[in-house]
């Protein structure tokens, strides 16, 4: 993307007035991330936390909680939208803790209350492959929620934790979750199937409309392989995906959910069970992002790109963060 | 004595996991060491079939060691020479390992023998001798689900090395591998489930599909390179219950050499508050008629613990009224009599009482 210098200056000026929220981040929560988030003007970042690696959190010795305590001068562990606004006022960065799978509850849905108290505020249900809760997007055959899954989505709503469907979940499980919940649900990070046919990790128009009809938000990822089937994606491809969804469901129902993996240095072959080649590149070296979105420093370029494509300031403010704040406030309460 | 999951994975396959935990190693590698006859003090009775109960649910420590011991003693006294004893169902790794080691501690005290190879399976002593040092019971620890393994199918090999010879792909509900028989959905094995089946084949584990959903079980029967077992299931045509088997499942068993072990658990026998022996025998007759005596066994499942997880589960709360005439291990004699009444030959009766289960164990364990 070539932005003329005048527009770039205007975009940066606009960007600095925005309250920018990233609806899902898969980066390592490390010190280096904090200045990077600030450089990109990101006020709130939802990270995958409250788990031990890929396992359920078996103790309350959460590394994420320790990290947040140790960096309290620059970070706010946000559990309310007021916390996020306070972080903005104080020049700090808000970190929201969420899950990408809910089978961390094991077989006991009552554990969710404890996780809520530790700060869990958003929960995906199934990560790519079927689990105790439901079926995943890469399963050989898709189906709805399990009995536990029904209990999980009901309890998540009761606790006012955001129910995060689609993307990694199968569409059958996602529609089932819509059936067993009321009110706002979201998809924190996906891409439109219409622009990336053949990748089961992407989302159909039908499910995006269903989420928007319930007042929710669909976050768009910048993961290269979800943007384009081969070759290198650019920030323009990312903006095409954002615009497609804006055209489909309107600017009130689209956000960014960049799903970057900053600081996670993994090389070599990918486990094809959760990450089959039709959905993910088979080598970690190819888990990449458009150059400008490899880390957060390029986030202002999203604002610039939307401005250049003729979106109004209010729509840009919604897409870059206020939509997430709206639904989080609805779900979490004031 | 316990061990971290990571150390467990690292040690399994090295031949040192079992010794690190102070038990003797099992699985394909250990079979050669056990040899053809005897081993661990079990008398190998050439030519006589063992009597096997594929579901003796008493291994949970919450029953207390004395109750478990008394129950297994009554099973042995009824002339059962080998019991499949579940040590975990929905337990996670730590609890499953703890239960397994607790069973070994009890076994050492009671002189039960861990069955490490099918060559060790012995016939029961003649005449229903009461339990003493001449009436040793062979024990096969089993898992009724794979919650302890989660996505780490590498753990299967380690548990096999520790003696867990039979594992169920899932129990009643959905897990990583597939759907349970009580689930809202009825999907085939997941991708991970297919790999778990192959891993169980490779590790020499007999695959139990008793509480898997219909399509998960059918796809597992197809996927498995060795015959499978249903350790405690009856026929839906006789009593329509989601834990009982459809005609399609029964026929698939026969086609692939699997064995269905019939259960006395009342909810699976009939809709009566207390079923009768004849209700149980109706399942036997139906299955004899459909698949003949070579695909049948017993998994009587005298379990007195509650099974409900959700209020809508199709199981009543305990206490359970087991069938009149089949309410305790000693009633095995009534089943023996019924088999004779049906005109089955001595050899057919032996196969039905344990020979068929010994065959699928041997095919799964020793190839």
């Amino acid at each position: 993307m070539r932005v003329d210098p005048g527009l770039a200056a205007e975009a940066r000026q606009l960007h600095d007035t925005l309250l920018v929220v990233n609806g899902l981040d898969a980066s390592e929560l490390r010190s280096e991330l904090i200045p990077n988030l600030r450089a990109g003007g990101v006020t709130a970042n939802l990270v995958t936390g409250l788990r031990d690696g890929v396992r359920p959190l078996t103790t309350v010795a959460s590394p994420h909680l320790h990290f947040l305590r140790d960096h309290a001068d620059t970070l706010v562990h946000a559990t309310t939208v007021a916390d996020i606004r306070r972080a903005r006022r104080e020049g700090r960065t808000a970190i929201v803790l969420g899950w990408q799978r809910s089978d961390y509850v094991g077989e006991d849905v009552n554990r969710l209350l404890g996780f809520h108290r530790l700060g869990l505020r958003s929960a995906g249900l199934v990560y790519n492959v079927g689990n105790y809760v439901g079926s995943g997007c890469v399963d050989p055959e898709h189906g709805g929620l399990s009995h536990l899954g029904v209990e999980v989505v009901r309890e998540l709503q009761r606790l006012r934790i955001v129910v995060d469907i689609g993307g990694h979940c199968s569409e059958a499980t996602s529609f089932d979750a819509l059936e067993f919940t009321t009110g706002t649900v979201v998809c924190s990070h996906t891409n439109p199937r219409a622009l990336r046919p053949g990748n089961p990790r992407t989302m159909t128009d039908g499910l995006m409309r269903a989420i928007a009809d319930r007042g929710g938000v669909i976050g768009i990822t910048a993961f290269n392989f979800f943007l384009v089937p081969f070759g290198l994606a650019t920030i323009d491809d990312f903006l095409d995906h954002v615009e497609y969804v804006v055209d489909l469901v309107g600017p009130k129902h689209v956000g960014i959910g960049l799903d970057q993996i900053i600081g996670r240095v993994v090389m070599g072959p990918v486990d094809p069970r959760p990450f089959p080649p039709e959905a993910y590149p088979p080598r970690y070296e190819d888990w990449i992002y458009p150059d400008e979105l490899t880390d957060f420093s390029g986030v202002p370029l999203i604002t610039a790109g939307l401005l250049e494509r003729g979106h109004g300031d209010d729509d840009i403010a919604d897409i870059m963060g206020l939509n997430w704040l709206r639904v989080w406030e609805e779900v979490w309460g004031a | 004595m316990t061990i971290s999951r990571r150390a467990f994975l690292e040690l399994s396959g090295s031949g040192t996991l079992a010794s690190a935990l102070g038990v003797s190693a099992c699985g394909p590698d250990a079979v050669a060491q056990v040899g053809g006859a005897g081993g661990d003090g079990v008398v190998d009775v050439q030519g006589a079939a063992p009597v096997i109960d594929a579901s003796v649910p008493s291994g949970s420590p919450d029953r207390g060691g004395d109750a478990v011991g008394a129950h297994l003693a009554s099973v042995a006294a009824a002339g059962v020479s080998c019991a499949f004893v579940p040590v975990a169902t929905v337990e996670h790794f730590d609890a499953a390992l703890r239960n397994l080691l607790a069973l070994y501690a009890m076994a050492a005290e009671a002189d039960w023998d861990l069955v490490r190879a099918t060559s060790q399976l012995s016939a029961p002593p003649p005449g229903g001798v009461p339990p003493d040092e001449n009436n040793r019971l062979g024990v096969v620890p089993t898992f009724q689900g794979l919650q302890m393994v989660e996505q780490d199918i590498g753990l299967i090999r380690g548990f096999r090395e520790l003696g867990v010879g039979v594992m169920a792909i899932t129990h009643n509900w959905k897990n990583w591998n597939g759907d349970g028989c009580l689930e809202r959905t009825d999907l085939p094995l997941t991708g991970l489930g297919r790999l778990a089946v192959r891993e169980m084949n490779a590790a020499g584990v007999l695959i139990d599909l008793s509480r898997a959903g219909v399509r998960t079980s059918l796809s597992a029967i197809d996927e498995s390179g060795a015959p499978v077992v249903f350790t405690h299931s009856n026929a839906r045509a006789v009593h329509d219950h989601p834990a009982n088997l459809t005609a399609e499942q029964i026929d698939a068993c026969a086609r692939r050499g699997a064995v269905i072990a019939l259960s006395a658990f009342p909810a699976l026998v009939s809709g009566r508050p207390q079923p009768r022996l004849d209700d149980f025998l109706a399942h036997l007759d139906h299955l004899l008629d459909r698949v003949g005596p070579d695909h049948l066994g017993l998994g009587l499942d005298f379990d007195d613990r509650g099974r409900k997880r959700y209020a809508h589960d199709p199981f009543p709360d305990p206490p359970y009224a087991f069938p009149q005439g089949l309410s305790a291990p000693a009633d095995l004699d009534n089943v023996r009599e019924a088999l004779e009444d049906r005109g089955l030959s001595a050899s057919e009766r032996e196969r039905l009482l344990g020979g068929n289960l010994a065959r699928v164990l041997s095919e799964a364990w020793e190839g």
Side-chain angles (χ1 to χ4, degrees):
Chain A
M1 188 179 68
R2 301 260 180 274
V3 183
D4 79 66
L7 187 65
E10 185 190 343
R12 184 71 221 198
Q13 205 173 13
L14 171 63
H15 190 77
D16 289 341
T17 69
L18 302 178
L19 201 161
V20 177
V21 181
N22 183 29
L24 190 113
D25 184 26
S27 302
E28 286 287 316
L29 201 48
R30 299 200 308 199
S31 308
E32 296 86 327
L33 197 66
I34 303 168
N36 191 246
L37 283 160
R38 290 196 59 78
V42 179
T43 291
N45 193 33
L46 191 154
V47 305
T48 317
L50 297 177
R51 75 214 198 285
D52 297 333
V54 297
R55 302 211 170 286
L57 189 65
T58 46
T59 70
V60 293
S62 166
H64 303 95
L65 297 178
H66 282 264
F67 183 88
L68 290 165
R69 184 193 62 183
D70 294 345
H71 295 81
D73 52 336
T74 49
L75 297 180
V76 171
H77 175 191
T79 56
T80 65
V81 168
D83 288 338
I84 295 172
R85 295 193 190 284
R86 175 166 58 86
R88 168 82 178 171
R89 275 198 311 277
E90 296 172 357
R92 293 193 284 167
T93 303
I95 299 293
V96 178
L97 298 178
W99 279 346
Q100 297 196 50
R101 307 167 12 196
S102 286
D103 56 320
Y104 294 138
V105 299
E107 59 291 332
D108 189 357
V109 76
N110 292 323
R111 292 183 186 143
L112 278 174
L113 176 63
F115 283 111
H116 177 267
R117 296 299 188 260
L118 292 175
L120 184 73
R121 287 297 178 273
S122 175
L125 302 176
V126 183
Y127 190 87
N128 292 353
V129 289
N131 62 24
Y132 313 131
V133 171
S135 77
C137 66
V138 307
D139 280 336
E141 195 174 319
H142 294 172
L145 292 170
S146 65
H147 287 298
L148 177 71
V150 171
E151 288 202 333
V152 164
V153 295
R154 286 180 169 154
E155 185 67 6
L156 287 172
Q157 279 222 312
R158 184 176 167 205
L159 293 169
R160 308 191 72 158
I161 296 169
V162 172
V163 177
D164 179 7
I165 63 172
H168 292 291
C169 293
S170 74
E171 296 230 338
T173 285
S174 303
F175 278 110
D176 224 9
L178 283 164
E179 196 73 35
F180 283 97
T181 53
T182 55
T184 311
V185 297
V186 308
C187 177
S188 63
H189 60 303
T190 191
N191 295 80
R193 179 79 46 91
L195 296 186
R196 187 61 179 88
N199 188 324
R201 172 65 180 77
T202 60
M203 189 185 271
T204 62
D205 289 0
L207 183 54
M208 288 197 275
R209 283 202 197 93
I211 291 171
D213 284 348
R214 293 274 290 267
V217 171
I218 296 125
I220 308 299
T221 87
F223 190 64
N224 192 93
F225 196 64
F226 301 162
L227 294 170
V228 294
F230 35 76
L232 299 177
T234 65
I235 191 170
D236 278 310
D237 294 309
F238 173 78
L239 292 166
D240 288 347
H241 281 232
V242 171
E243 283 196 319
Y244 178 89
V245 184
V246 168
D247 289 344
L248 185 76
V249 297
K252 291 279 182 201
H253 303 288
V254 183
I256 60 170
L258 299 175
D259 199 15
Q260 291 148 320
I261 48 173
I262 304 161
R264 269 171 54 182
V265 186
V266 196
M267 307 295 268
V270 167
D271 181 351
R273 294 174 299 168
F275 304 117
E278 66 272 22
Y280 291 81
R283 293 188 67 79
Y284 278 113
E285 289 84 336
D286 299 317
W287 285 37
I288 55 174
Y289 299 79
D291 268 350
E292 304 91 330
L293 298 176
T294 296
D295 63 27
F296 287 105
S297 61
V299 170
L301 294 174
I302 302 174
T303 300
L306 291 172
L307 201 58
E308 189 189 44
R309 290 176 180 223
H311 296 273
D313 288 6
D314 287 348
D315 287 353
I316 293 174
D318 285 344
I319 294 165
M320 293 306 291
L322 295 185
N323 287 336
W324 285 126
L325 285 198
R326 182 190 77 239
V327 298
W328 288 352
E329 194 151 37
E330 273 170 29
V331 176
W332 300 346
Chain B
M1 179 68 205
T2 187
I3 188 171
S4 78
R5 190 182 177 115
R6 185 191 206 123
F8 186 97
L9 265 175
E10 280 167 4
L11 289 179
S12 62
S14 69
T16 52
L17 176 63
S19 58
L21 288 164
V23 300
S24 48
C26 290
D29 296 341
V31 170
Q33 299 163 26
V34 175
D40 284 13
V42 176
V43 183
D44 183 37
V45 182
Q46 290 290 332
V51 173
I52 300 179
D53 187 332
S55 187
V56 181
S58 56
S60 174
D62 62 9
R63 247 192 193 187
D66 289 349
V68 175
H71 185 64
L72 285 188
S74 70
V75 168
V80 170
S81 56
C82 170
F84 291 10
V85 179
V87 292
T89 304
V90 296
E91 286 83 351
H92 285 280
F93 173 82
D94 289 339
L97 184 57
R98 195 169 58 236
N99 288 357
L100 179 64
L101 297 177
L103 179 72
Y104 289 152
M106 282 187 260
E109 202 134 302
D111 268 351
W112 307 325
D113 292 291
L114 171 65
V115 181
R116 298 164 68 197
T118 49
S119 59
Q120 285 177 282
L121 292 170
S122 63
V129 178
D132 59 28
E133 67 275 11
N134 297 315
N135 190 8
R136 297 165 70 104
L137 181 69
V139 165
V140 178
T142 72
F143 285 159
Q144 292 204 315
L146 281 184
Q147 213 115 333
M148 65 297 296
V149 163
E150 291 179 25
Q151 292 174 289
D152 273 344
I153 55 176
L155 292 169
I156 289 171
R157 214 170 272 264
F159 279 117
R160 177 68 191 103
E161 200 179 322
L162 295 181
V164 182
V166 184
M167 298 184 194
I169 197 95
T170 188
H171 185 265
N172 290 354
W173 298 286
K174 188 176 182 69
N175 72 1
W176 296 97
N177 303 306
D179 286 356
C181 64
L182 305 187
E183 265 306 345
R184 298 181 64 240
T185 55
D186 183 22
L187 299 179
L189 285 174
T190 63
L192 186 74
R194 288 201 287 246
L195 291 174
V197 164
R198 283 182 230 150
E199 181 67 13
M200 287 195 272
N201 287 157
V205 172
L206 176 60
I207 297 169
D208 180 8
L209 298 171
S210 240
R211 294 302 177 85
V214 172
R215 295 183 64 216
T216 287
S217 72
L218 290 171
S219 60
I221 290 170
D222 277 348
E223 187 75 29
S224 177
V228 301
V229 68
F230 287 80
T231 56
H232 52 304
S233 298
N234 295 333
R236 264 193 224 191
V238 177
H239 176 53
D240 191 7
H241 187 286
N244 284 338
L245 305 183
T246 66
E248 197 184 4
Q249 286 171 295
I250 292 163
D251 292 348
C253 282
R255 203 168 54 241
R256 298 296 293 262
V259 171
I260 300 161
L262 294 170
S263 168
F265 190 73
L268 300 191
V269 172
S270 84
R272 297 179 209 276
Q274 182 176 23
R276 302 167 188 160
L277 177 63
D278 280 349
D279 295 325
F280 172 83
L281 296 172
H283 292 276
L284 174 70
D285 289 336
H286 173 80
L287 288 164
L288 279 172
D289 191 44
R290 194 159 185 107
V291 296
D294 288 343
H295 302 287
L296 302 180
L298 299 175
L300 295 174
D301 199 16
F302 293 115
D303 193 356
D304 55 12
R305 284 165 300 172
R307 306 187 166 208
K308 268 188 196 297
R309 174 164 168 188
Y310 304 105
H312 52 71
D313 282 351
F315 287 110
D317 288 316
Y320 300 122
F322 279 85
Q324 285 170 355
L326 190 56
S327 60
D331 290 333
L332 185 60
D333 281 343
N334 295 335
V335 178
R336 285 197 175 91
E337 202 173 294
L339 295 178
E340 284 182 40
D341 291 347
R342 277 153 179 76
L344 295 173
S345 71
S347 154
E348 286 171 335
R349 297 197 303 270
E350 279 193 350
R351 294 205 293 276
L352 206 150
L353 289 167
N356 294 329
L357 284 165
R359 172 178 59 78
V360 289
L361 267 188
S362 171
E363 285 170 318
W365 288 7
E366 290 128 24

